[in-house]
Amino acid sequence: MISQFLNPTVIAVIGAAREENKIGNIIFKNLVSNPHLKVFPVNPNADKILGKKCFKDVLEIPYNIDLAVICVKAEIAPKILEQISRKNIKNAIIIAAGFSESKNYELENKIKQIAEDNKIQILGPNVMGLISVNNKINASFFNGIPKPGSIAFLSQSGALGSAILDYAIKNEIGMSGFVSLGNMINTDFSDFIEYYNKDPETKVIAVYLESLKQEKGKRFIEVCKNSSKPIIILKAGSSEKGIRAAVSHTAALASEQGVYEGIFKQCNLIQTSSLRELFDISDTCQKLNNIKTKLERACIITNAGGPGVLLVDYLEKNKIQVPEIPKKTFSKLNSILSSQWSHNNPIDIAGDALADRYYNALKILETEDWFDFFIVILTPQYMTQVIETANLLINLKKPVFACFMGGKQVELGIHFLKRKNIPVFNELSDLADVLGKIKR
């Protein structure tokens, strides 16, 4: 079962190492930092590692093992798989590279056959490992765990995985899990999409994909079509040279980009064009109280006219309406705004607006039915109350998206909104593009 990869209680690290710079040491250290796990180091050349008794062979461990993390060189992997089969271990992560991605097809076929003969599920080879965030299980060689959240991230590239995790931590993006898939000899995207679709902690599934295995396309389509959760995808290898690079990286079989685009549309996946957009869309989806929030009509409130005009252009490009304000609403807004307000949507409340002016406008507008969601723009004027204005957004009844434009002066406001799970952007075009792709 795939759940044994992400919810193990007893783990053997085969190839655990004493040297701090070795992968076998890093993974073992990450795992033993969780006091709720039983983690056993296996290394025939060591008596103790990090103060833990070291076993010469996995067969010596006096417990049933849920998961084996194999950190040995590629050529030793078949021997280790034979050992774990005798221990009746059914789940293994093979970290090492040096298989079909290096044109060593014979070695990869050998471990594939051993796994098939002994009904062993393998993640990899050629992977970084995995992280089950909410369980604080770090079976990878990445240093750190993102904050708990509801994005499950699947990456075909291990090295890109480290960048993904670092980006998530820096930008305070919550995740439920991370899986590096590598060469996918007998578990692949479909298995983990299926798992995370049933996982109550996960709202969104994000995918970095280079190529599908040739025989796996049909199941991928079926699993994605059956997903009740949004799947956000970044496909690499769209150019001719990129396709060749993808083939040499994880040895999957590439195809024409148009074929993949057809698959993604058929499965109703949200395709992105950059890693940042992949994260922006995934993070926005996880912060929506209802993934199916209607995103047809926007009410924009801003303390600067220019950004409001720009945003209208960007929203129009993304087929999101900016409706006119009904006459009945004018008198309400006139009663609380100065005569200089824009009298139009975007509602420009002027550059000298303090937090109370935002509050008064939002309080009137959130009971209106002529729009579906708010976009609140803030630019840092001398008198702008950044944190106080940010605080107004957290209890609104209607969905709200924020764009706090600038640098140092809006930084605390952006961090505050991220912690409060309000979708917040620094660039108007990024906000509009994300809304457009989610809407479509």
Side-chain angles (χ1 to χ4, degrees):
M1 292 174 64
I2 290 295
S3 62
Q4 288 295 302
F5 282 106
L6 295 148
N7 303 286
T9 55
V10 186
I11 303 171
V13 180
I14 302 168
R18 289 166 292 191
E19 298 86 351
E20 287 192 1
N21 62 337
K22 288 198 171 180
I23 285 174
N25 178 274
I26 297 165
I27 292 177
F28 183 65
K29 187 188 297 180
N30 283 341
L31 286 166
V32 295
S33 68
N34 184 331
H36 303 294
L37 296 175
K38 282 188 170 66
V39 187
F40 299 100
V42 178
N43 185 329
N45 302 312
D47 294 321
K48 283 191 173 182
I49 296 177
L50 298 178
K52 299 276 187 180
K53 177 187 174 182
C54 195
F55 294 86
K56 308 297 180 189
D57 187 300
V58 72
L59 296 167
E60 294 181 2
I61 299 173
Y63 288 90
N64 294 325
I65 307 295
D66 299 320
L67 176 66
V69 185
I70 300 172
C71 306
V72 301
K73 292 179 180 178
E75 57 268 25
I76 306 172
K79 177 185 172 184
I80 299 301
L81 276 183
E82 295 282 8
Q83 287 178 2
I84 72 168
S85 71
R86 294 199 294 277
K87 181 69 175 171
N88 201 33
I89 299 171
K90 296 301 181 185
N91 303 282
I93 302 173
I94 300 179
I95 301 292
F99 294 90
S100 58
E101 84 287 350
S102 301
K103 305 206 182 313
N104 198 343
Y105 302 106
E106 185 178 350
L107 184 59
E108 185 161 305
N109 287 334
K110 190 172 184 180
I111 63 167
K112 189 174 182 179
Q113 190 61 54
I114 295 169
E116 189 177 311
D117 291 345
N118 295 280
K119 296 182 171 56
I120 300 170
Q121 289 188 128
I122 292 177
L123 177 62
N126 183 25
V127 297
M128 181 183 174
L130 60 81
I131 299 176
S132 184
V133 177
N134 294 310
N135 296 329
K136 293 184 169 55
I137 297 172
N138 185 355
S140 80
F141 52 90
F142 179 78
N143 180 24
I145 298 180
K147 74 173 188 177
S150 51
I151 300 173
F153 209 115
L154 310 178
S155 177
Q156 197 160 0
S157 165
L160 186 72
S162 63
I164 288 165
L165 292 165
D166 194 47
Y167 185 93
I169 291 170
K170 179 181 182 294
N171 291 279
E172 302 177 72
I173 297 170
M175 295 174 71
S176 58
F178 167 84
V179 182
S180 164
L181 289 137
N183 293 12
M184 302 185 291
I185 65 168
N186 73 1
T187 62
D188 67 359
F189 286 109
S190 300
D191 299 301
F192 288 94
I193 290 172
E194 199 168 54
Y195 169 83
Y196 280 116
N197 190 43
K198 295 174 184 174
D199 174 34
E201 303 291 339
T202 299
K203 284 186 181 178
V204 184
I205 302 166
V207 175
Y208 168 76
L209 181 147
E210 291 175 1
S211 318
L212 294 169
K213 293 283 188 180
Q214 192 173 39
E215 71 279 10
K216 300 294 185 180
K218 185 177 179 182
R219 182 159 182 254
F220 179 82
I221 292 170
E222 288 174 356
V223 167
C224 290
K225 274 185 170 182
N226 290 329
S227 176
S228 61
K229 300 173 183 179
I231 300 173
I232 325 297
I233 194 157
L234 175 62
K235 168 72 173 70
S238 58
S239 66
E240 189 177 334
K241 286 187 178 179
I243 289 171
R244 289 203 297 272
V247 172
S248 64
H249 184 203
T250 53
L253 296 176
S255 183
E256 294 293 331
Q257 179 66 5
V259 173
Y260 279 100
E261 287 178 357
I263 290 172
F264 300 155
K265 285 178 182 176
Q266 188 179 347
C267 299
N268 205 26
L269 307 188
I270 302 174
Q271 189 173 3
T272 65
S273 55
S274 69
L275 193 58
R276 187 177 72 170
E277 189 178 60
L278 179 67
F279 262 118
D280 284 348
I281 293 174
S282 301
D283 195 35
T284 300
C285 283
Q286 80 165 332
K287 287 172 177 173
L288 292 174
N289 289 329
N290 181 354
I291 294 297
K292 295 182 179 179
T293 297
K294 194 175 179 184
L295 298 176
E296 296 287 343
R297 304 168 298 167
C299 175
I300 304 166
I301 302 176
T302 177
N303 67 345
V309 175
L310 275 175
L311 181 58
V312 171
D313 288 339
Y314 297 141
L315 291 175
E316 186 174 315
K317 187 182 85 172
N318 282 283
K319 295 182 170 46
I320 293 173
Q321 301 169 39
V322 181
E324 292 185 10
I325 302 171
K327 288 181 181 179
K328 64 178 183 178
T329 311
F330 273 101
S331 58
K332 297 178 187 177
L333 292 172
N334 281 332
S335 68
I336 55 100
L337 297 176
S338 69
S339 59
Q340 283 76 40
W341 78 278
S342 61
H343 294 81
N344 198 5
N345 183 17
I347 299 168
D348 179 5
I349 59 176
D352 62 348
L354 300 178
D356 64 342
R357 200 177 296 170
Y358 277 99
Y359 171 77
N360 290 332
L362 289 164
K363 188 177 179 182
I364 286 171
L365 290 161
E366 74 168 339
T367 60
E368 303 273 319
D369 60 5
W370 52 271
F371 65 95
D372 304 313
F373 62 95
F374 286 114
I375 298 177
V376 175
I377 302 173
L378 180 143
T379 60
Q381 318 294 338
Y382 183 82
M383 67 291 294
T384 304
Q385 296 174 305
V386 176
I387 293 294
E388 293 86 345
T389 305
N391 192 50
L392 300 176
L393 309 186
I394 62 177
N395 293 314
L396 291 172
K397 294 171 186 172
K398 280 184 178 283
V400 59
F401 303 87
C403 188
F404 279 31
M405 302 176 69
K408 192 71 178 172
Q409 292 185 56
V410 297
E411 193 172 44
L412 288 177
I414 289 173
H415 288 314
F416 174 84
L417 289 171
K418 284 179 176 178
R419 288 194 295 273
K420 297 297 183 180
N421 286 324
I422 301 294
V424 57
F425 296 78
N426 195 241
E427 293 283 345
L428 296 166
S429 59
D430 292 343
L431 169 55
D433 288 347
V434 165
L435 292 175
K437 289 200 171 182
I438 294 172
K439 173 181 177 287
R440 289 195 292 275

